Amino acid sequence: MNYRNLKITNKKAEKIILELYGINGIASQLPGEIDFNFRIKVKDTDGFILKISRPDEDVDYLDFQQKLLQHIERENESLIAPKVIKAIDESVISEIEDEFGNLRKVRLLTWVSGRIYDQVNPQLADLRYSLGKQCGHLTQALMGFNHPKANREFIWDIAQSLWTKEHINLFEKEEKEIINFFQNKFETQQDSYTNLRKSVVHNDANNHNVIVSGDLKNPVVNAAIDYGDAIYTQIINDVAITTAYAIMGHEDPLDAALALLKGYHSTFPLLAEELEHLYTCIAMRLIITATRSAINKKREPDNTYLLISEKPAWEVLKKWALINEDFAYYSFREACGYQAHPNEHKFEQWAIENNNTLKDLFPSENKNLIHPIDLSVESKWLTENLEFDSLDYFQFKFDQLQKKTSDKIIAGGYAEPRAIYTTTSYDKIGNYGTESRSIHLGIDFWLPEKTPVHALFDGEVILAINDEGDKEYGGLVILKHEIKDLIFFTLYGHLSVKSA
């Protein structure tokens, strides 16, 4: 019999809950992909959620969900999660016969009050931090729990996500390229990925399964609901799923992800090797969502519930593909309190032991002393933005300074906040509006035109271009260096275009 013909009315749901649980309540149907779900309102209580299965539902799978919720209640009494309500006969899974003679399984859980995450606007960093924190608590509570049904074939498990390769022809060229890129990346990472920590996890903390407090000024995440997708898999998958949905609708998805990650790590510390896979795992969850939606369009074109995440998933997936994987990984590490680059300390030690001089960099100058200059927003040497923008005046001031300090090289600027970035070319749209670059990430040396610049180490030319544009690098060369077991880069900008 077709599932769509098997309907349970609100009145029938009210009769079921009275007969099985002795509870008088008012039922209203809720959307659901597998179960028939009903909100049961009971005076002076938060109420309940009644879940009535399809006729052919696997009772062992329902037993898995019930035992999982009972495990959470035992492990962390303060953690808000739906609680299992026993029937009058003390059973946690009851049975009814519907009007077509089909046997259906019935479960009753407590209702978790609050707003769903999707209804909260704006979704700020503090809210995402609390989401990560709550999900970390939940992961901790589920550690050690297992059940035969936790290990099963499941399309929504990121570990099993390569099934999506079979449906690549559902997509057009641009979308196909993005999906192929991440599928291939995920496939090549399998050796290390399969050895990551595993546990039973919630696996579906999407924007409709997360409950937020009613506080409009400082909302926090109180709970995750709907444990139907729970599965035994890599723990990082749960982080990836929560992140994939939480970053939807944000201009800068990587920045949006970091607050959530900090919150998660604060209650369930993540390992560095897990963070190495997070970028790809986030993408693979979005690909599952996009692929499932494409399939559902053909099978059930009228079922809007099944398509609810398609558009936002594609919006964030296209932005995610533009983020450098290494930059994402280093950002994840920093958010979790690790050194941004795993070899940072090793490089710093090498740099301390291998000093270079200015004579190595500019041998024709035969100078080894610096005259530091301040071009920050607090500079007393340049008092107005006009002095930055007028190159002739700017050059005149430097010429005068150079005459006074002829035995030194004028230098400065590393990590300096500067007012020089005044054009819109330094702006981007962030998660809270327009953001402007202000920090100078290099050291400037002011020397006469045509002064030879020497590379400090042997290296491979990675880039040699004319970086055109207002206040851009002009002649730009980037070298890659491999010394012992270290790989690092040096950047030489503001060179003559011809030399680059």
Side-chain angles (χ1 to χ4, degrees), residues 286-341:
L286 294 167
I287 288 170
I288 293 174
T289 300
T291 303
R292 189 66 178 156
S293 293
I295 294 169
N296 287 336
K297 275 183 180 178
K298 289 191 172 184
R299 291 181 181 173
E300 298 184 52
D302 298 328
N303 192 336
T304 56
Y305 177 77
L306 298 177
L307 305 176
I308 197 166
S309 296
E310 180 187 28
K311 183 180 177 182
W314 266 116
E315 286 175 352
V316 74
L317 187 56
K318 288 176 180 178
K319 291 176 182 176
W320 201 247
L322 297 175
I323 297 169
N324 180 276
E325 179 184 12
D326 289 337
F327 181 65
Y329 171 49
Y330 303 148
S331 299
F332 296 153
R333 286 177 58 93
E334 186 178 48
C336 292
Y338 295 106
Q339 286 186 312
H341 195 288

Side-chain angles (χ1 to χ4, degrees), residues 6 13 28 58 64 115 126 146 173 175 221 365 379-380 424 427 449 456 472 479 495:
L6 300 175
S28 55
D58 182 351
F64 165 51
R115 298 175 289 163
D126 286 348
N146 214 332
K173 187 176 184 296
E175 295 174 344
V221 170
E365 286 298 292
S379 173
K380 295 179 180 178
T424 56
D427 294 343
E449 189 177 2
L456 295 175
E472 297 295 351
L479 304 181
L495 307 173

